[in-house]
Amino acid sequence: MIFTNREELIEFLKGSPLGRIISIEPDDCQWMLERSTLNVILSKDNFIKTLFIGNILDSYLKEGSVIYIDFDTIFSAFLNLIIKDTKYLDNLLILKPSDGDSENIMAYACSLFSPYIKLIVLDSITTLYYLLNSRASSDVNRKIGVYLSLLEGLANKLNIPIIVTSMIRAKKFKQTESWLASPTGGRVLLRSNIVLKLDKIFEHIEINVIKHKNDAFIGKTFKIPIILSWSDNIG
């Protein structure tokens, strides 16, 4: 960890010029989040996105409970690579979809209310969209909008950050017949106060701050080394 707290990072950023790539350590990722709101993570790479969130989870698991809604199931598959402090795994509750129960999982997650919950992760809105896609697209968008609104209300009540991930996919636009990269959830997600975009650059994760409530973060780019933590302590 380079920065011992969030305030220290913010003071550093105030004196840092735009365009400079700021090197931080994986443990510093937690300082980018804001409480009482949705923190949107965009990425083209599932594994890079999962590693980034894992860095954040390590810090929050020491404080209390973390709820991980794992629609992608990638986090569960690579848990032994991602979580370093395995002694805190009792604080982690993973909710995974099975046999069309995605709506029940979301209803349960949105109803949670406990002072012991320190972080909720919805990973990912892209997979949830496809799980609900047997409905009309307008109905799916409406339902996802309701879920995000409920989660934002929960973040505000508990004064915690909620992470929502979305994969960037190529989307074809009928009017122009052209393909453009676009996150699932589009307008609904981009209304969020915090939007971070991840890219893999050689052996680093590059984090571009697209939107942020704190002006010190706006327009800044960070990079962290890709570090995998192997553990034999997880059954």
Side-chain angles (χ1 to χ4, degrees):
M1 182 184 294
I2 295 177
F3 300 95
T4 57
N5 56 56
R6 191 168 185 271
E7 289 69 30
E8 189 178 315
L9 172 60
I10 290 171
E11 283 303 311
F12 176 83
L13 293 178
K14 288 178 179 177
S16 180
L18 293 176
R20 175 185 173 188
I21 298 178
I22 302 162
S23 294
I24 59 174
E25 293 298 320
D27 287 340
D28 293 314
C29 294
Q30 61 181 307
W31 311 132
M32 297 184 192
L33 302 187
E34 289 279 355
R35 296 179 182 272
S36 300
T37 192
L38 300 183
N39 296 261
V40 175
I41 308 296
L42 308 179
S43 180
K44 293 183 287 187
D45 188 312
N46 261 316
F47 194 58
I48 291 300
K49 171 259 299 178
T50 307
L51 282 178
F52 176 77
I53 295 174
N55 293 328
I56 294 171
L57 259 62
D58 267 328
S59 302
Y60 279 92
L61 286 171
K62 298 172 186 175
E63 298 181 13
S65 299
V66 172
I67 312 300
Y68 201 109
I69 311 166
D70 192 13
F71 285 120
D72 267 356
T73 70
I74 292 172
F75 175 79
S76 298
F78 290 101
L79 183 62
N80 64 320
L81 288 176
I82 293 163
I83 300 298
K84 297 188 284 292
D85 291 315
T86 56
K87 61 184 177 181
Y88 295 103
L89 279 181
D90 286 345
N91 292 340
L92 176 63
L93 173 62
I94 302 177
L95 304 175
K96 292 188 290 186
S98 62
D99 299 327
D101 64 350
S102 54
E103 293 193 57
N104 291 332
I105 287 177
M106 287 305 302
Y108 174 69
C110 291
S111 69
L112 292 170
F113 191 85
S114 167
Y116 298 105
I117 298 174
K118 302 303 179 183
L119 176 70
I120 297 176
V121 181
L122 169 53
D123 184 23
S124 73
I125 208 74
T126 306
T127 306
L128 176 59
Y129 184 91
Y130 287 112
L131 289 172
L132 296 173
N133 213 13
S134 58
R135 303 168 178 266
S137 58
S138 59
D139 191 24
V140 173
N141 290 333
R142 180 192 62 79
K143 190 164 286 283
I144 286 178
V146 169
Y147 289 146
L148 293 179
S149 179
L150 290 171
L151 286 174
E152 190 159 27
L154 187 59
N156 190 49
K157 289 177 184 176
L158 295 175
N159 189 32
I160 64 170
I162 292 183
I163 295 175
V164 178
T165 73
S166 179
M167 300 307 297
I168 298 173
R169 302 290 191 226
K171 182 178 180 182
K172 188 174 184 179
F173 289 83
K174 294 180 180 179
Q175 296 88 340
T176 60
E177 293 295 314
S178 59
W179 293 82
L180 294 174
S182 174
T184 308
R187 296 177 184 175
V188 176
L189 281 185
L190 295 178
R191 285 204 303 265
S192 300
N193 292 314
I194 317 297
V195 181
L196 308 177
K197 180 176 174 291
L198 310 180
D199 291 287
K200 182 179 184 294
I201 307 296
F202 299 111
E203 298 305 314
H204 289 81
I205 299 175
E206 190 170 278
I207 306 134
N208 288 285
V209 181
I210 308 299
K211 290 178 67 177
H212 209 283
K213 287 176 69 174
N214 192 304
D215 290 344
F217 286 91
I218 294 175
K220 299 297 195 300
T221 300
F222 301 85
K223 71 173 183 177
I224 57 172
I226 296 173
I227 299 174
L228 299 181
S229 178
W230 294 86
S231 173
D232 297 322
N233 299 324
I234 302 175

